[in-house]
Structures are given as structure tokens and as C-alpha cells.
Amino acid sequence: MTKPTKIERIDTILWDRWLLVRISCEDGTVGIGEGGVHGWQRPTKTMVEVMTPYLLGKDPHCIEHHYQFLYRSSHFMGAVVQGALSAIDIALWDIKGKRLGVPIYDLLGGNTRHRVRCYIHVRGNTLEQLVQDAVAKAKQGFTAVRFSPWSPGFYLHKSYAEWAEAAVQRVGAVREAVGTGVDICVELHRQMNPAESIALGRRLEQFHPFFYEDPMLPDSPARMSDVQERCNLPIATGERFSTIFEFQQLLENKGCAYIRPDLCLCGGLTGCKKVAALAEAQHVKVIPHNPLSPVSTAACVQLDACIPNFALQEYTGESEPPKSELLKQPLQLEEGYLVVPQGPGLGIELNEDAIRRYPPVDKVLDTPLGYDGSVQDR
């Protein structure tokens, strides 16, 4: 039985493009978390600082209670609140695992797997560059790749026919290049309306995508359900959702085949374990969203290790600076799979030298404008 301790200090760290949170206890235990309102790290930092006075002096093991107190302290909620709560939640689980000497997944029911299958992003301004990158990633051992079916200037198309044909060509070329030994995942980034994405989805059926991601804005579960039913492709969505209630509505409407909770936005490990359970009851699998730092990746792997309905893990690559320098011992990648760490808590330790070496990089408002000058979604 561990001796009681209290939260003594909370530090917020703006590091490159990400927000890290470090919670220190009186007994010397330190937990690490990350807040994931992607691109809005400064407002999230402020929210953590607003929550800090409540947490100081509290028992770090009362994770659910602290979440409920802070979440329900105001009638007004939203992404910045949830990003801060997610960072705190992850750090408190890290503390609990370290104090008990076990990985977080052991505290959430035990492991259901020892390795986590990842998909890697592939990119290319031209068709040739996209194909080359996909083939290179397959040679590295990845068995799933994700990409946009458009070049970076997608929003300057003049007709739907031109737009859709470019998507068909890119998806078809990647499928032909990697063969059936690699799953392809197509990301629309909410850039089409329902009618457009349904029509395109039907044309992409021939290439058998593993998933068809965010074919429309996620605001309407009922309309997403219509797209899912009519395009005959497995939809993956949910990265923008910040509560279990949004996922409940999506699942009730049968709006997807895969859910994409972001652990650094949707309540941390606590919230996303609940989301995974909701999905399990609907025979829907989980593909955690992960565009952030290696801290986010480490948290995702702990969730992936303990849920039965895991499908794939988003992985953006962590072999290049600054990501490669953040952890003293990076997560182990083998043939496109992340090995689940056996160490206590998250199983990671921050490299303090790297923390000091990379200053914050603020978000730039570069919202795309279409050929006619109108605002486009991304």
C-alpha cells in the first residue's frame, strides 16, 4: 500500500507546437500529460493555470473526482476546457502508475495486446511524390498508410469533376503501388459536403480503403449516418469531439465504422476509455487521433493496449527532431508496430535538455480560400 501524497506543483510547458503539463507530488512523483486543442496551446495553457489552485494539495489518485469537479464547475465547457482536463488526466494516471509501479494499462483492466499496429502519414505535392512516399513507408514495414486524395492546392479546383478525378487518380495510384499487403486510409479533412463525399466514395470503393475519414463536417451525426449508409465505405470520424456525449450521438445514429477519439482533447485516458466502451457496445473499433508529441503517442499506446476494440493507431513519425529528442528513451517501433512499454505509468521520461532547446511555435491563421475567395474547410 502506497503512502498518501498530495499534488505540490503544476507546470505548463509550451514546447515547439505542443503543450505539455507536468504535475509534481510531495513524495517526488512526477506525472506528464499533454493538452490537445491542436494549434491553440496558449489558451489551453491558461485554462490549466486557472484549474491549478483547485488541484494543489489534493490527492492525485482521485482522478475521476477531480475531472468531475473541474468539468462541472461551469455551465460553459468546450475544447479548451477539455484540452486542459485531458492533459491533467493523463498526468494523474502517469502519477498513479508510477506510485504503484505498474503501466497505466494494468490499472485500466490489463493488456489485450503487446504491440500496437500503426498507420503512417504519406504525402506528396505531385502524384509521383505521393506514390514514392507510400512505397518507401511500406518498405519500412508499415502495413497501413494514410493520405489526402488531393494535392495541397485542393481548394483551388474549378469544378467537382476535376476535384473528384484527381482524388480517384491519387488513390488508385497508391493502391496499385503498394498492392494488397498494405491498407490505404483516405482522409478528406471535412473538405466535401455530404453529396460530394457520397459520390466520391462510390468511385473509391474499387480501391477498398481501410477507412474514409471525415467525409464532411462532424456537426450532424444524422447526416454523417446518411453518408455512411450511401457511400458504402467505412467512415472514421470523431477527432474534433471533446466529450463522450458527442460520440454517443454519433454511435446512436450509426454514423461511422471507426471512431477517432483524441486522448489529449476528449477527457484523457479516463474519457477515451469510456468512449471505447461505448463503441464496443456498437461493434465499432477505435483509431485514436494523434497529431501531437510523443507524450500523446505514449498515452494512446496505453489505451490501445487495454481495449478489446482497437483497430489502428495514428502515428506521424518520431524519428526526426524535435520529436526524436523529447523522450530519454523513445517508444520502440518495429515493422510498423509500436511496442507497448512495460515501465510504470506512461513508461516514458522527458529529456529536460530538449525541453529547454525548443521554444514555442505559435499557430498561424492560414485558413485556405477557394478559387472564388470563399473560406474553405480543412
Side-chain angles (χ1 to χ4, degrees):
M1 194 70 180
T2 58
K3 294 182 179 180
T5 190
K6 295 179 181 179
I7 296 171
E8 185 176 56
R9 180 185 176 93
I10 299 178
D11 296 303
T12 54
I13 304 166
L14 291 171
W15 185 75
D16 200 80
R17 294 180 292 119
W18 304 292
L19 170 69
L20 308 180
V21 171
R22 181 163 44 203
I23 300 180
S24 304
C25 298
E26 290 178 340
D27 69 349
T29 309
V30 178
I32 305 300
E34 181 168 4
V37 188
H38 192 37
W40 300 106
Q41 61 269 55
R42 288 190 185 273
T44 310
K45 177 181 186 294
T46 300
M47 184 56 66
V48 174
E49 291 167 350
V50 169
M51 295 174 173
T52 293
Y54 161 77
L55 291 164
L56 294 178
K58 298 294 193 303
D59 179 356
H61 285 243
C62 300
I63 301 173
E64 180 71 43
H65 178 76
H66 297 326
Y67 174 86
Q68 294 294 333
F69 184 95
L70 291 167
Y71 178 73
R72 294 158 65 179
S73 65
S74 171
H75 297 294
F76 300 96
M77 300 166 186
V80 171
V81 173
Q82 283 293 84
L85 284 172
S86 299
I88 292 166
D89 180 270
I90 293 167
L92 292 179
W93 277 111
D94 191 29
I95 288 169
K96 179 170 280 194
K98 287 174 177 175
R99 297 195 76 232
L100 297 175
V102 296
I104 291 171
Y105 68 72
D106 237 13
L107 302 174
L108 296 176
N111 64 303
T112 60
R113 58 186 49 82
H114 302 290
R115 301 196 305 165
V116 170
R117 185 186 179 207
C118 298
Y119 75 75
I120 188 77
H121 292 196
V122 296
R123 295 180 174 86
N125 291 343
T126 67
L127 181 61
E128 293 74 19
Q129 290 171 342
L130 179 66
V131 168
Q132 289 172 3
D133 195 25
V135 170
K137 294 302 194 302
K139 289 180 178 178
Q140 291 173 19
F142 289 97
T143 59
V145 297
R146 193 216 74 171
F147 58 96
S148 168
W150 299 294
S151 64
F154 72 91
Y155 50 89
L156 296 176
H157 63 274
K158 297 181 181 180
S159 72
Y160 169 79
E162 172 193 30
W163 198 19
E165 183 60 30
V168 173
Q169 289 180 4
R170 284 168 70 92
V171 175
V174 172
R175 167 54 77 206
E176 182 178 2
V178 301
T180 56
V182 175
D183 285 316
I184 61 173
C185 309
V186 180
E187 160 72 292
L188 294 196
H189 272 300
R190 302 157 293 274
Q191 292 158 7
M192 284 188 156
N193 66 33
E196 292 167 341
S197 64
I198 290 167
L200 177 60
R202 289 173 175 171
R203 294 184 66 183
L204 297 182
E205 287 179 28
Q206 60 184 310
F207 307 120
H208 307 290
F210 188 91
F211 64 68
Y212 192 49
E213 186 176 0
D214 285 335
M216 57 168 280
L217 290 169
D219 312 83
S220 171
R223 290 296 286 145
M224 190 74 81
S225 174
D226 187 46
V227 176
Q228 174 64 94
E229 182 178 356
R230 295 174 61 192
C231 77
N232 202 30
L233 289 177
I235 287 176
T237 192
E239 68 183 54
R240 290 190 176 187
F241 290 171
S242 60
T243 70
I244 60 173
F245 310 111
E246 293 165 292
F247 279 102
Q248 173 70 3
Q249 293 173 32
L250 177 70
L251 292 164
E252 283 183 344
N253 280 276
K254 299 179 175 60
C256 66
Y258 300 101
I259 56 166
R260 307 232 43 221
D262 188 317
L263 272 77
C264 299
L265 177 62
C266 194
L269 284 149
T270 302
C272 290
K273 185 69 159 59
K274 295 175 183 179
V275 169
L278 289 173
E280 182 187 357
Q282 298 285 343
H283 303 282
V284 170
K285 289 193 171 185
V286 181
I287 305 176
H289 183 238
N290 176 35
L292 304 175
S293 87
V295 174
S296 170
T297 305
C300 287
V301 168
Q302 293 294 323
L303 177 73
D304 302 337
C306 71
I307 60 174
N309 54 330
F310 167 75
L312 273 176
Q313 176 58 57
E314 179 173 13
Y315 183 72
T316 57
E318 296 175 359
S319 61
E320 300 292 332
K323 286 186 177 183
S324 61
E325 300 179 23
L326 180 62
L327 305 182
K328 287 187 176 180
Q329 183 63 46
L331 295 179
Q332 187 176 353
L333 181 70
E334 295 179 352
E335 294 295 311
Y337 285 74
L338 285 169
V339 178
V340 178
Q342 300 300 301
L346 289 171
I348 61 172
E349 187 176 355
L350 294 183
N351 177 3
E352 294 299 326
D353 288 340
I355 293 293
R356 290 188 287 268
R357 193 157 48 242
Y358 291 94
V361 176
D362 288 322
K363 181 180 179 64
V364 176
L365 295 179
D366 57 349
T367 306
L369 299 179
Y371 191 77
D372 63 354
S374 62
V375 174
Q376 305 294 299
D377 290 300
R378 64 184 320 158

